[in-house]
Amino acid sequence: MRLALALLAGTLLTAPVLAQGPDYTPRDVVAVKNADWTRDAVLYQLNTRQFTPEGTFAAAQKQLPRLAAMGVDIIWLMPVHPIGEANRKGSLGSPYAVRDYRAVNPELGTEAEFRAFVDEAHRLGLKVILDWVANHSAYDNPLTISHPEWYTRTPEGAMMSPAGTDWSDVADFDYSQPGLRQYMTESLAYWVREYGIDGFRCDVAGWVPTDFWETARAQLDAIKPVFMLAEWEQRDLHNHAFDATYAWKWKEAMQKLVKSGEGAGPIRGYYNEQQETWPHSAMRMVYTENHDQNSWDGVAAEIYGPAYEAAMALSFTGSGLPLIYNGQEADNDRQLKFFERDPIVWKEGRHAALLARLIALKTANPALHNGRFGAGMVEVPSSEATDVYAFTRGEKGARVFAVFNLSPRPHAVTFQHARHHGSYTDALTGAPASFTGSETLDLPAWGYRIYTETK
């Protein structure tokens, strides 16, 4: 026995060391491979019910050339599925109460008309993503009969709406059920295979287990490269599931500084947190309006007031993936109804030209591209740092230099570092500009300037 132990000890002492030490090489935790067409993408949210007087795919299709000319890249269609009637809200119900995950809402058109919409979008160089409601279904979705075990239950055994909500028209799914996960993944794949859909905006994505999304993303990418947007704000969703997440904190910071008049502090805090805690590869969707909060002369005017143009411009020049909400370019004058027909009144908006210029600016300047494709933000300190936020993006010779007075006070601004020095062109007026250290910029309340470097 002692001999055996001695021999064993000798073997252990003379055997080569196989264990490897820790790997300290930095790595990108975002394993999702972004499709190249997301590089400079601008999103456009389209509510088919309200987008045209007819409220149909066929009518919306006629406006696709206008959207392509405007420069948007990805059309996000709000849910296109049949809507449940049980516990329905309003006369038409919520599009987020899905009765059939593999069908088209006949109120919006036929399957052939939906296919024609997607095909025309693709012909024009646009991508189409669908709003996907994985967390819950309508109470009269046939799944409640065929697979009652897929639904969350009250202690008394009844189906229930998502806890803590007033969503009385939908029943909560139970994602501990493998069959539900398979069905939902195959339903996502169905739209990619059958209609060529380019991805999904996923409703309340954080209420569905992340491992479900990761499995689904892998299945979808096996069919074609897709774009996935999560309605949630969580870093881990970017690892293996989503290209983009909502930047609610950006919107909240902008609204806070406008309401309080305190200056640039809140938005500076947002960008600092983004730089320190979020992967550079993570695309964050920034916006001033969407279907939960919309209309320029209504809600947006109340929230942003004279700061509205500055907020839009910052959403395109700061880090982030910008969203345009349908009707925003027409200065839609009211908050659209959610459960009834309420068509947008289309007119030539005051901000249509600005939006088109901002899209063109983002497209033309790689520094402003999305996530891993774009450049980080480098703050340029100024004499009015409390109210003014200035930054560059990109390498010398191809930089964008932007200055935003995020306050209700006018300022004469000088800059304290050489980070921005160079020759530029005003991106919105075309006027030349040079920065060598002795300049003063006069900015009105909520005024801003955007410059592109000339070589």
Side-chain angles (χ1 to χ4, degrees), residues 47-114:
N47 181 344
T48 309
R49 176 187 284 174
Q50 316 296 23
F51 191 62
T52 62
E54 300 86 350
T56 63
F57 300 123
Q61 181 179 328
K62 296 176 183 177
Q63 289 209 40
L64 288 176
R66 176 182 68 81
L67 297 179
M70 185 178 175
V72 301
D73 303 282
I74 302 174
I75 305 298
W76 154 19
L77 288 177
M78 287 178 63
V80 301
H81 309 104
I83 296 171
E85 296 184 8
N87 303 333
R88 173 174 281 196
K89 293 187 175 184
S91 63
L92 296 179
S94 168
Y96 293 87
V98 177
R99 197 174 68 225
D100 186 343
Y101 284 94
R102 301 183 189 181
V104 167
N105 184 351
E107 297 171 9
L108 306 179
T110 65
E111 291 183 357
E113 288 167 335
F114 174 73

Side-chain angles (χ1 to χ4, degrees), residues 85-423:
E85 296 184 8
N87 303 333
R88 173 174 281 196
K89 293 187 175 184
S91 63
L92 296 179
S94 168
Y96 293 87
V98 177
R99 197 174 68 225
D100 186 343
Y101 284 94
R102 301 183 189 181
V104 167
N105 184 351
E107 297 171 9
L108 306 179
T110 65
E111 291 183 357
E113 288 167 335
F114 174 73
R115 189 183 301 278
F117 176 94
V118 175
D119 289 346
E120 176 64 4
H122 286 166
R123 188 188 71 79
L124 293 167
L126 300 169
K127 303 296 183 181
V128 179
I129 66 173
L130 294 187
D131 213 323
W132 196 261
V133 190
N135 180 70
H136 48 263
S137 79
Y139 271 98
D140 52 353
N141 188 306
L143 296 175
T144 62
I145 305 300
S146 61
H147 292 284
E149 73 279 8
W150 290 358
Y151 288 86
T152 307
R153 300 285 168 169
T154 68
E156 294 74 29
M159 285 193 304
M160 58 181 283
S161 299
T165 73
D166 63 353
W167 304 345
S168 57
D169 55 342
V170 294
D172 192 59
F173 277 127
D174 177 5
Y175 271 82
S176 69
Q177 300 293 318
L180 170 62
R181 290 173 174 240
Q182 180 179 352
Y183 167 83
M184 196 62 71
T185 301
E186 291 175 351
S187 296
L188 287 160
Y190 167 82
W191 293 92
V192 177
R193 286 196 180 97
E194 295 299 316
Y195 293 94
I197 291 301
D198 301 294
F200 299 90
R201 178 268 187 188
C202 300
D203 189 59
V204 288
W207 286 4
V208 175
T210 302
D211 65 320
F212 162 78
W213 293 122
E214 292 175 344
T215 299
R217 174 63 185 260
Q219 295 299 308
L220 297 175
D221 275 343
I223 303 170
K224 63 182 284 190
V226 295
F227 170 78
M228 300 290 283
L229 166 64
E231 189 203 15
W232 209 249
E233 199 162 20
Q234 181 178 324
R235 287 179 298 177
D236 292 350
L237 290 174
H238 289 276
N239 294 353
H240 297 279
F242 289 94
D243 301 83
T245 52
Y246 270 50
W248 281 316
K249 289 183 179 179
W250 185 93
K251 175 179 65 68
E252 291 165 359
M254 284 301 302
Q255 292 176 358
K256 181 176 186 291
L257 69 86
V258 171
K259 183 177 181 180
S260 68
E262 66 190 271
I267 203 67
R268 178 179 287 110
Y270 165 81
Y271 285 123
N272 287 344
E273 180 190 27
Q274 173 74 17
Q275 179 174 321
E276 293 291 337
T277 65
W278 287 76
H280 176 67
S281 301
M283 299 181 190
R284 310 299 316 290
M285 190 188 79
V286 292
Y287 63 95
T288 56
E289 310 175 43
N290 74 353
H291 65 280
D292 291 322
Q293 176 192 86
N294 65 80
S295 90
W296 187 84
D297 288 326
V299 176
E302 179 182 340
I303 293 174
Y304 298 105
Y308 184 57
E309 287 194 8
M312 281 197 298
L314 186 56
S315 74
F316 278 85
T317 52
S319 61
L321 172 72
L323 169 74
I324 298 171
Y325 180 66
N326 59 188
Q328 188 173 355
E329 70 271 39
D331 299 341
N332 180 49
D333 61 0
R334 68 194 183 285
Q335 184 162 1
L336 300 176
K337 296 177 181 177
F338 205 70
F339 309 117
E340 311 290 346
R341 287 277 292 121
D342 187 20
I344 297 167
V345 177
W346 289 100
K347 57 184 181 294
E348 186 65 32
R350 285 170 283 173
H351 301 101
L354 173 62
L355 284 168
R357 286 198 297 269
L358 290 171
I359 294 171
L361 173 70
K362 183 177 181 69
T363 302
N365 290 273
L368 302 185
H369 289 179
N370 301 317
R372 70 175 79 248
F373 301 114
M377 299 171 68
V378 177
E379 185 170 2
V380 178
S382 78
S383 60
E384 307 296 336
T386 299
D387 287 348
V388 172
Y389 187 64
F391 59 90
T392 65
R393 294 183 68 186
E395 299 296 326
K396 186 173 176 58
R399 290 175 296 182
V400 173
F401 174 42
V403 187
F404 287 83
N405 178 11
L406 298 174
S407 80
R409 297 166 287 277
H411 286 293
V413 185
T414 58
F415 301 97
Q416 301 167 353
H417 288 269
R419 297 173 182 176
H420 65 299
H421 287 186
S423 298

